[in-house]
Structure formats: structure tokens, C-alpha cells
């Protein structure tokens, strides 16, 4: 129990000198780097090995195009955001299964983006996707970090439960363990909310600006 209290005090001490975003980054740097690494490498793999992955990802691409043709996915802020938030939720809640789900959905979406880039002229793909893609990619990476932080909470809670003593009320000790790790849940939710805000911005840009921007750049080349 003293170990839990010390950990809590150390975190509070750090918070005192950190700004909101800088502190949030420092405390979750490992998870952000892990998420970014998985996602970015998956994009490159999806692009470089598109031929080998065609039998799998072509099905995903067909489903994506089907959503557009059938009107399930429209070029509106709400429709695009709804689609993206579903992806972000899968990535985030994947943290409940020890990060396996988070890893899977990060990798799958990265592979799909890389594969999709091979289906169009690369210059056009970049021009038309970069305005909203910057916010979307960062949002997905942060959602991944939130998922891994959620996994960290589960692991730490179970680890501390292994040290529950028999001479003290079990309910009291469990309550203390959960309360001691509420900061991790808070961190996880903060990250996910930031991801959602970025995805809202990305959806607005994609629905209202990306095509106009792409057409403008094309006309100047």
C-alpha cells in the first residue's frame, strides 16, 4: 500500500510543474511512441507489400467503396466523423483485452491507408488527403495511446491485487487499489477526448476543404 501511495505522490509532484499538454505527453510518451510506431510502420508495410496483401485488403477496400455507393458513408462532416469515431473506439476499447485489440486495429487501419495509397496516383492521393489526414492520423495515434494506457491500468490494478493482505478488509483494499489507479483512467480518457476533437476537425476539413484544396493544387501544376 505504501508503494501505491508513493506512486500517487510522485505523479502529483510532476503534475505541479507540468502544463496540461506537456504533462500529458510526458506521462504517456511511451504509449504515444508505441502507437505511432505501430501505425506508421503498418502504413509503409501496406504500401510496400500491397501486392501480397491484396487478397485481404481488397475486400476491405470493396466494403469501404460499397459504403460510399450505398450512401452509408457520405461526404459530410457528421458521416465522416461517425465512421472515424467507430474506428477510434475499436482502437481504444481494444485496450481492454491487454492491448491486443488496440494493436490489431491500429495495424489494420495503417495497412489499409498504405494499401489505399497504391490504388491511386501517389501525388494525387497525398494532395487530396493531407489537409485532413494530418489531424486524422494524429487522432488515431492518440486513440491508440489511450488504448494502451487503458491496458496499463488493467495490468497495474491486477498486479496490486496480488498483494492484497489477509489481515485487512479485502473490500477496503480493493477500493484503495482502484482509487489509487484512477489517475490512469483519467489519463486514458483525456487522451481519447483529444483524439475525438482531432477527428472532428479532420472530418470537417475532409467534408468541406480537402477536395477544393486538391482541385486547386491540381490546377496550379
Amino acid at each position: 500500500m505504501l508503494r501505491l501511495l508513493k506512486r500517487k505522490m510522485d505523479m502529483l509532484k510532476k503534475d505541479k510543474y507540468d502544463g496540461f499538454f506537456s504533462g500529458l505527453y510526458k506521462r504517456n510518451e511511451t504509449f504515444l511512441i508505441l502507437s505511432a510506431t505501430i501505425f506508421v510502420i503498418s502504413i509503409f508495410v501496406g504500401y510496400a507489400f500491397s501486392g501480397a496483401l491484396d487478397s485481404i485488403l481488397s475486400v476491405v477496400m470493396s466494403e469501404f467503396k460499397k459504403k460510399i455507393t450505398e450512401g452509408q458513408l457520405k461526404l459530410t462532416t457528421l458521416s465522416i466523423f461517425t465512421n472515424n469515431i467507430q474506428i477510434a473506439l475499436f482502437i481504444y476499447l481494444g485496450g481492454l483485452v491487454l492491448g491486443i485489440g488496440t494493436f490489431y486495429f491500429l495495424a489494420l487501419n495503417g495497412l489499409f491507408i498504405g494499401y489505399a495509397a497504391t490504388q491511386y496516383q501517389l501525388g494525387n492521393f497525398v494532395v487530396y488527403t493531407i489537409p485532413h489526414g494530418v489531424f486524422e492520423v494524429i487522432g488515431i495515434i492518440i486513440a491508440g495511446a489511450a488504448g494502451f494506457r487503458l491496458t496499463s491500468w488493467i495490468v497495474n490494478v491486477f498486479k496490486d491485487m496480488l498483494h492484497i493482505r489477509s489481515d485487512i478488509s479485502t473490500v477496503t483494499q480493493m477500493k484503495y487499489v482502484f482509487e489509487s489507479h484512477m489517475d490512469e483512467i483519467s489519463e486514458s480518457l483525456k487522451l481519447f477526448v483529444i483524439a475525438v476533437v482531432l477527428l472532428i476537425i479532420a472530418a470537417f476539413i475532409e467534408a468541406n476543404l480537402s477536395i477544393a484544396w486538391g482541385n486547386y493544387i491540381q490546377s496550379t501544376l
Side-chain angles (χ1 to χ4, degrees):
M1 291 300 133
L2 288 175
R3 182 168 59 88
L4 293 177
L5 184 59
K6 185 178 183 298
R7 184 190 303 162
K8 187 78 172 177
M9 294 301 294
D10 287 342
M11 181 163 281
L12 289 173
K13 192 182 294 182
K14 290 178 183 178
D15 287 348
K16 183 178 178 181
Y17 301 102
D18 288 332
F20 177 80
F21 289 106
S22 60
L24 192 64
Y25 173 79
K26 288 176 185 177
R27 293 188 301 272
N28 297 282
E29 184 176 15
T30 301
F31 302 118
L32 287 163
I33 291 173
L34 175 61
S35 181
T37 300
I38 293 168
F39 192 59
V40 173
I41 288 178
S42 297
I43 290 174
F44 281 108
V45 170
Y47 184 82
F49 299 97
S50 59
L53 296 168
D54 185 69
S55 60
I56 300 171
L57 294 178
S58 61
V59 177
V60 181
M61 177 66 79
S62 297
E63 286 297 316
F64 182 75
K65 289 180 178 179
K66 184 179 178 182
K67 282 184 178 181
I68 296 174
T69 56
E70 293 182 353
Q72 297 178 43
L73 181 59
K74 302 175 183 177
L75 194 62
T76 64
T77 301
L78 179 60
S79 181
I80 294 170
F81 172 69
T82 300
N83 180 71
N84 289 346
I85 196 63
Q86 288 175 347
I87 293 171
L89 277 170
F90 280 125
I91 291 171
Y92 177 57
L93 296 177
L96 292 172
V97 285
L98 300 180
I100 297 171
T102 298
F103 177 89
Y104 173 78
F105 288 110
L106 273 173
L108 179 61
N109 281 277
L111 289 171
F112 177 73
I113 290 173
Y115 175 80
T118 67
Q119 305 303 299
Y120 306 92
Q121 200 279 326
L122 184 59
N124 291 340
F125 181 83
V126 172
V127 166
Y128 280 96
T129 59
I130 200 166
H132 64 273
V134 171
F135 294 96
E136 193 171 298
V137 166
I138 295 174
I140 289 174
I141 288 171
I142 294 176
F148 288 128
R149 171 57 83 175
L150 188 60
T151 296
S152 173
W153 171 75
I154 292 171
V155 171
N156 286 329
V157 165
F158 274 100
K159 279 172 60 179
D160 288 335
M161 281 186 171
L162 294 176
H163 295 90
I164 285 179
R165 294 165 51 179
S166 59
D167 59 331
I168 302 175
S169 168
T170 301
V171 173
T172 300
Q173 291 182 83
M174 287 181 64
K175 181 181 177 183
Y176 183 78
V177 168
F178 278 103
E179 288 179 349
S180 297
H181 291 289
M182 283 304 293
D183 54 307
E184 288 203 87
I185 286 292
S186 175
E187 294 280 287
S188 178
L189 290 173
K190 286 174 187 174
L191 288 169
F192 187 69
V193 168
I194 292 172
V196 170
V197 171
L198 289 170
L199 291 176
I200 291 173
I201 296 172
F204 176 81
I205 293 174
E206 185 173 0
N208 300 282
L209 302 173
S210 288
I211 292 179
W213 161 265
N215 290 340
Y216 171 75
I217 296 298
Q218 290 284 61
S219 68
T220 61
L221 297 178

